[in-house]
Amino acid sequence: DLVVDGGVEKIKTLLTEKWKCDPNEVIAVPSITINSVGKLSGAKWYTMGKISKEINLELNQLNSEADEDVYLCIKNVDTSVFPFYNKRRNVSGWIDSSALDFNLFKKVNSKKQVINSDQFVEHGMMGFCVRLGFLPISANTASMTLALFPLSK
């Protein structure tokens, strides 16, 4: 079934129940909206699943004034929380870092030393936002990009 009547709300049910997709697997489905006279009135993406890999980067790549030896680790990114608006765009709305599972750490003797959240500001963490972008590659494949912006929403 490539046509689902009922909008993006019905897509997850179809993917998990009929096609037996794992709800934790990252899947992105483009959807189009047809109005009552049969014309295209919009398009947006539906996403489900979690990014299983931890996303690590040096904090000074996000904030040039941050400590050089501090790293940002974003974990368990649930792709279903990203809002895609009916504007025929391949990027989601921004999600503030306060809605994400992340921490800061330092490497001490090749081991991660987690930094307490009450010390984030003194190490240069001022918050950030993320959004998803999709670039279709073929009929059944798209490249997904997680973009970071160095300001809170």
Side-chain angles (χ1 to χ4, degrees):
D1 294 341
L2 295 177
V3 176
V4 179
D5 187 18
V8 294
E9 298 80 22
K10 301 280 184 163
I11 293 173
K12 183 175 183 178
T13 303
L14 179 72
L15 290 172
T16 56
E17 293 178 10
K18 186 165 185 176
W19 290 354
K20 306 297 184 209
C21 294
D22 179 352
N24 291 316
E25 180 183 1
V26 176
I27 296 176
V29 178
S31 64
I32 60 172
T33 305
I34 308 295
N35 66 17
S36 59
V37 293
K39 291 188 177 184
L40 176 67
S41 62
K44 64 181 183 176
W45 287 85
Y46 169 80
T47 57
M48 72 177 220
K50 291 188 177 183
I51 299 172
S52 59
K53 262 185 156 177
E54 288 184 354
I55 300 161
N56 295 300
L57 68 138
E58 291 183 45
L59 186 58
N60 64 8
Q61 291 179 333
L62 194 61
N63 175 3
S64 61
E65 296 177 8
D67 293 348
E68 286 190 27
D69 60 343
V70 176
Y71 295 82
L72 169 66
C73 176
I74 305 171
K75 302 182 274 189
N76 304 315
V77 178
D78 181 0
T79 63
S80 68
V81 301
F82 289 88
F84 284 86
Y85 306 106
N86 196 10
K87 295 181 180 176
R88 293 176 233 155
R89 298 180 67 197
N90 288 354
V91 293
S92 73
W94 291 100
I95 299 287
D96 190 75
S97 57
S98 62
L100 299 173
D101 180 7
F102 75 94
N103 63 33
L104 298 182
F105 66 90
K106 285 185 172 190
K107 284 189 178 177
V108 179
N109 296 328
S110 300
K111 293 186 180 184
K112 289 182 180 180
Q113 182 179 45
V114 177
I115 297 170
N116 292 330
S117 60
D118 61 347
Q119 298 174 329
F120 281 6
V121 173
E122 70 185 68
H123 288 286
M125 169 51 78
M126 305 302 181
F128 59 94
C129 291
V130 296
R131 75 176 176 183
L132 287 178
F134 292 99
L135 176 63
I137 296 172
S138 69
N140 62 357
T141 307
S143 174
M144 180 178 70
T145 300
L146 182 69
L148 282 81
F149 186 73
L151 296 174
S152 290
K153 197 170 173 185

